[in-house]
Amino acid sequence: MSSNNTPKVGFVSLGCPKAGSDAERILTQLRAEGYEISGSYEDADLVVVNTCGFIDSAVEESLDAIGEAINKNGKVIVTGCLGAKSGVVQTAHPSVLAVTGPHALEEVMTAVHANLPKPHDPYVDLVPPQGVRLTPSHYAYLKISEGCNHRCSFCIIPSMRGDLVSRPVGEVLNEAENLVNAGVSEILVISQDTSAYGVDVKYRSGFWNGRPVKTRMTELTKSLSELGVWVRLHYVYPYPHVDEVIPLMADGLILPYLDVPFQHASPRILKAMKRPASSENNLARIKAWRDICPDITVRSTFIAGFPGETEDDFQMLLDFLEEAQLDRVGCFTYSAVDGASANALPNQVPEEVKKERLARFMDVQERISAAKLQSKIGTMQTVLVDEIVEDEAGNIEAIGRTKADAPEIDGVVYLADAEGLTPGDFVEVQIYDADGHDLWGGPPQD
């Protein structure tokens, strides 16, 4: 045990923001029980590794991280999505102390208690109301549900995280309020399927600050808008009721930003993926959103080279990009995730064809993105400062984001003359340059 007799736990967290939210809950509980969090393997009494297991590269990264923790510490507990894949961790690393799946706070703490007894006198008041977080102090992810009711053929999340389970709306709003009281300037709403929030509880009402609030995305979003910070919606399926939040964006109550994973545009491929909606419906919906809120930013992700994808299917996807004119887009080649039903589909696409299609896809989207960013030159934008840096000449610069940019996945704004700014500040800037991904700005120019 560490020299000051207070047990110390090291923590490694991999994967998506949803996994990060799980990690924050575990860290908060550890601190609540009096454990210290160690910043090094050598100083920790044991290490918890929070893993990702969605695609092969993530599995490899997670197994490598577990191996590193074993080599440098020796006492390792594994949690997260990779832990839900029966036997994978134990086969690669039989010496781990315990393995749990995702969203498994109680199981992780049971394993910690078994291998590192908790202190006799935990001081719960040492933990702030907003808990322990892995993000910078000025923004935070707010996870509103766990699991997913969809059975997309390329995805194994339901097998790892189960069906949709919505968090009580009062609990979610209380957490958001605590985050804002702690100084958070931006809340990023996340889940596996944000627009399905409340389906599992038939949208029953909960209570927040003494008043009823439905367990439903629209009502949740309206309540979050009262907190006076940026609210950004991620992982939104294009269900009809999503249209209800667009007027909130037009009125400036929440950010005019939707992260909608369309995945493809070919009806045949969407059917094979077991995805809801169609490309025609999606195009009509995007147009309707822009009619209501012209400033809306629509981000999406797509898969190139899905099994059975023909050149005609792929051309439909390129045509969709040209017509949809999406603001921010990510694309990945199809990866045969262990356990996904799509692996058994016929006519698997060769790797070289996948890569060639990905390159063509990105060429189209980069042209669209660059044109959209060029149109912002000369405009005034509200920017949330993320980071302050000093160049070699001693000039103070800032890196921030506009309303159109989510942290880590979208672009940034580089700000000159940033003296006096701190992370979390909002500042009005004029954009004077752009490339295919980022913007440059500074004080308004005459």
Side-chain angles (χ1 to χ4, degrees):
M1 186 171 292
S2 53
S3 58
N4 67 357
N5 294 324
T6 300
K8 292 185 178 181
V9 177
F11 206 98
V12 178
S13 188
L14 306 172
C16 66
K18 295 178 284 293
S21 181
D22 288 350
E24 289 173 345
R25 291 178 180 278
I26 296 169
L27 288 166
T28 296
Q29 187 62 34
L30 288 167
R31 290 294 292 123
E33 294 188 7
Y35 292 94
E36 289 187 18
I37 307 303
S38 173
S40 70
Y41 293 114
E42 294 77 15
D43 197 35
D45 298 302
L46 64 77
V47 177
V48 177
V49 180
N50 187 30
T51 61
C52 179
F54 186 54
I55 58 176
D56 290 346
S57 60
V59 171
E60 183 177 347
E61 180 185 18
S62 293
L63 291 175
D64 287 347
I66 296 166
E68 181 180 8
I70 291 172
N71 291 334
K72 293 187 176 181
N73 181 278
K75 299 178 69 176
V76 177
I77 294 169
V78 176
T79 186
C81 288
L82 184 58
K85 293 187 172 183
S86 179
V88 173
V89 174
Q90 294 92 332
T91 299
H93 299 293
S95 65
V96 295
L97 301 175
V99 180
T100 81
H103 200 55
L105 172 62
E106 292 184 3
E107 292 92 331
V108 172
M109 293 309 301
T110 297
V112 171
H113 295 156
N115 292 280
L116 185 62
K118 64 181 178 179
H120 293 299
D121 298 306
Y123 293 95
V124 175
D125 59 338
L126 293 179
V127 179
Q130 74 274 15
V132 178
R133 305 206 328 272
L134 299 176
T135 53
S137 61
H138 61 282
Y139 71 81
Y141 293 100
L142 180 68
K143 186 160 70 169
I144 64 173
S145 65
E146 186 64 57
C148 183
N149 288 341
H150 293 290
R151 294 297 183 266
C152 301
S153 61
F154 56 83
C155 182
I156 57 171
I157 285 176
S159 68
M160 294 188 291
R161 291 183 173 263
D163 288 337
L164 177 76
V165 178
S166 299
R167 290 180 61 196
V169 67
E171 176 184 303
V172 171
L173 289 168
N174 284 334
E175 180 179 340
E177 195 167 23
N178 286 334
L179 290 169
V180 173
N181 290 338
V184 163
S185 301
E186 178 183 16
I187 290 174
L188 301 103
V189 178
I190 59 170
S191 66
Q192 267 73 44
D193 182 0
T194 295
S195 39
Y197 179 62
V199 167
D200 56 313
V201 295
K202 298 181 179 178
Y203 305 121
R204 69 179 174 221
S205 292
F207 287 87
W208 178 55
N209 290 341
R211 73 171 195 262
V213 180
K214 266 190 176 182
T215 307
R216 189 168 176 267
M217 185 181 74
T218 303
E219 286 75 10
L220 171 67
T221 304
K222 286 179 180 177
S223 297
L224 289 172
S225 74
E226 299 173 19
L227 298 176
V229 297
W230 279 7
V231 176
R232 192 182 300 276
L233 301 180
H234 284 273
Y235 312 109
V236 178
Y237 278 72
Y239 303 137
H241 72 267
V242 172
D243 299 354
E244 298 172 10
V245 303
I246 309 303
L248 301 178
M249 299 178 181
D251 291 339
L253 298 177
I254 64 172
L255 290 181
Y257 182 102
L258 273 184
D259 172 21
V260 186
F262 291 125
Q263 303 297 8
H264 214 280
S266 162
R268 196 176 65 82
I269 296 300
L270 286 169
K271 183 177 180 180
M273 289 179 168
K274 299 183 180 178
R275 296 289 292 179
S278 67
S279 58
E280 291 83 0
N281 290 339
N282 289 337
L283 286 170
R285 179 142 302 136
I286 293 167
K287 182 181 183 302
W289 293 342
R290 286 172 173 157
D291 287 343
I292 298 169
C293 182
D295 292 334
I296 190 171
T297 294
V298 182
R299 139 171 280 283
S300 191
T301 51
F302 295 88
I303 297 174
F306 188 81
E309 182 190 69
T310 64
E311 181 61 27
D312 287 344
D313 293 319
F314 182 68
Q315 187 59 51
M316 287 184 192
L317 178 53
L318 297 184
D319 292 343
F320 177 85
L321 286 183
E322 295 283 9
E323 190 165 354
Q325 293 287 299
L326 301 175
D327 301 271
R328 296 291 191 183
V329 168
C331 185
F332 309 90
T333 57
Y334 173 74
S335 174
V337 179
D338 186 30
S341 62
N343 298 342
L345 292 174
N347 301 315
Q348 298 281 323
V349 179
E351 285 299 321
E352 61 271 20
V353 176
K354 294 180 189 177
K355 293 177 181 177
E356 183 265 344
R357 288 178 180 171
L358 174 63
R360 289 162 59 196
F361 179 103
M362 294 311 300
D363 283 345
V364 172
Q365 183 56 42
E366 284 174 9
R367 171 171 48 78
I368 293 169
S369 296
K372 284 181 169 285
L373 292 178
Q374 286 291 321
S375 71
K376 296 185 178 183
I377 294 176
T379 65
M380 296 296 298
Q381 299 286 333
T382 302
V383 170
L384 175 59
V385 176
D386 281 334
E387 184 181 357
I388 303 297
V389 296
E390 184 176 347
D391 66 16
E392 294 180 355
N395 299 312
I396 303 299
E397 299 177 340
I399 302 173
R401 292 175 290 110
T402 70
K403 297 176 181 179
D405 301 303
E408 299 182 353
I409 57 174
D410 293 328
V412 300
V413 184
Y414 295 98
L415 303 176
D417 303 320
E419 196 77 44
L421 295 178
T422 59
D425 286 347
F426 289 104
V427 59
E428 296 295 318
V429 305
Q430 186 171 10
I431 303 301
Y432 59 76
D433 200 3
D435 62 13
H437 199 254
D438 301 316
L439 300 169
W440 281 258
Q445 300 172 349
D446 295 332

